[in-house]
Amino acid sequence: MAETKEGKGLFTVARVFFLLIVIPLSLMAILIANGIFKLGVTVKEKAVNVLDQKSQEEIKTRAVSTAEEIASFLMERKKDLLIATIIPPTDSTFKQFVRENQKPLWIREEGKVRQVLSYLYKEMALTDRSGNEIVKIVDGEPVPKSALVNVAKPANTTYKSEVYFSAARSLNRGEVYVSPVTGWYVNRTDFEKGKRFSGIVRFATPVFDKQGFAGVLTLALDYRHLAAFTD
């Protein structure tokens, strides 16, 4: 019986010690560790939030700056078009206008990146009041008279679906129609072979004579010059 009472006594003391000392200390250790962890996470989250806010502000500032640069660039293109309305409509004067408007571009050829001077405008053209092209420059060279078409029909336009003639025809003097980016789709296979999207943004404005509406003048901005702002 003595051994049994002694065993029970030791068990009771051990159990009390475990309940009153070990468990509270363990819980305290867990709480402290958990508190430190939470504190660490909180500090880290605050640091991340500060960095995020700073990054967001930088991105916002950069985005606004880029948007302003693009807007200014497009306004210059509008001015070019309106200035071009007073240029004598001949192959030589249009060709000179296109060749005088060039800008550097970074391009990739044969795995190498290099800078080249490139025409801002892939096309410059003038039509009569019916949509028949009178003068047209493509890639800096005059298009033969036999190759000129009637662009009042979208199917005859460069990308077979453009409506700039009808859109510009309804405008007042000094107003400009600006098309969406237009170009041929580049599939994955061709892209992997090195082919890149080559599109335009077309600016068009009506021209007038003493009888009223006389035709439409267009400039086709090489899209790469616009893309260069965000590349």
Side-chain angles (χ1 to χ4, degrees):
M1 290 291 293
E3 289 183 1
T4 303
K5 288 182 180 179
E6 185 179 355
K8 286 183 178 179
L10 289 172
F11 177 75
T12 303
V13 171
R15 183 167 60 181
V16 170
F17 179 80
F18 185 79
L19 289 174
L20 297 180
I21 305 298
V22 175
I23 290 179
L25 286 175
S26 299
L27 288 173
M28 189 178 295
I30 291 171
L31 291 172
I32 291 172
N34 193 43
I36 291 173
F37 176 74
K38 286 185 177 179
L39 178 61
V41 170
T42 303
V43 171
K44 183 178 179 182
E45 286 178 348
K46 287 183 178 179
V48 170
N49 287 336
V50 170
L51 288 174
D52 284 347
Q53 289 174 2
K54 185 177 180 182
S55 298
Q56 288 172 10
E57 288 299 321
E58 289 178 353
I59 292 171
K60 182 179 178 181
T61 301
R62 209 174 302 145
V64 170
S65 177
T66 300
E68 290 175 347
E69 288 176 1
I70 291 174
S72 176
F73 176 77
L74 293 176
M75 283 300 297
E76 289 298 319
R77 307 296 64 84
K78 177 182 177 181
K79 289 178 183 178
D80 281 351
L81 180 64
L82 296 179
I83 289 172
T85 61
I86 62 174
I87 295 174
T90 65
D91 285 348
S92 59
T93 55
F94 275 27
K95 178 179 178 179
Q96 181 180 355
F97 180 88
V98 170
R99 294 198 167 194
E100 286 179 349
N101 283 280
Q102 298 186 54
K103 193 171 176 160
L105 266 183
W106 288 100
I107 64 170
R108 181 184 293 275
E109 286 184 346
E110 299 178 355
K112 296 181 180 180
V113 177
R114 63 190 184 93
Q115 191 177 54
V116 297
L117 266 181
S118 177
Y119 299 132
L120 275 172
Y121 305 112
K122 297 185 73 172
E123 296 182 14
M124 179 177 184
L126 176 67
T127 75
D128 64 17
R129 57 176 50 86
S130 298
N132 298 303
E133 293 175 330
I134 301 170
V135 182
K136 188 174 186 178
I137 307 296
V138 175
D139 294 329
E141 294 296 336
V143 173
K145 301 299 180 185
S146 59
L148 299 178
V149 298
N150 185 301
V151 295
K153 300 176 181 179
N156 289 338
T157 60
T158 301
Y159 295 100
K160 309 303 179 185
S161 60
E162 297 177 83
V163 295
Y164 57 85
F165 178 79
S166 60
R169 184 175 185 173
S170 63
L171 299 178
N172 297 317
R173 189 190 301 272
E175 293 182 334
V176 175
Y177 163 79
V178 182
S179 79
V181 176
T182 309
W184 300 118
Y185 172 73
V186 178
N187 61 41
R188 183 173 180 176
T189 301
D190 289 338
F191 183 84
E192 289 175 350
K193 290 179 180 178
K195 187 175 181 180
R196 294 294 181 265
F197 177 77
S198 178
I200 63 165
V201 175
R202 198 179 295 275
F203 294 74
T205 192
V207 292
F208 300 86
D209 58 19
K210 293 179 180 179
Q211 298 176 342
F213 174 74
V216 170
L217 178 66
T218 66
L219 289 174
L221 172 68
D222 187 336
Y223 167 72
R224 295 178 300 170
H225 290 287
L226 194 56
F229 284 95
T230 54
D231 283 350

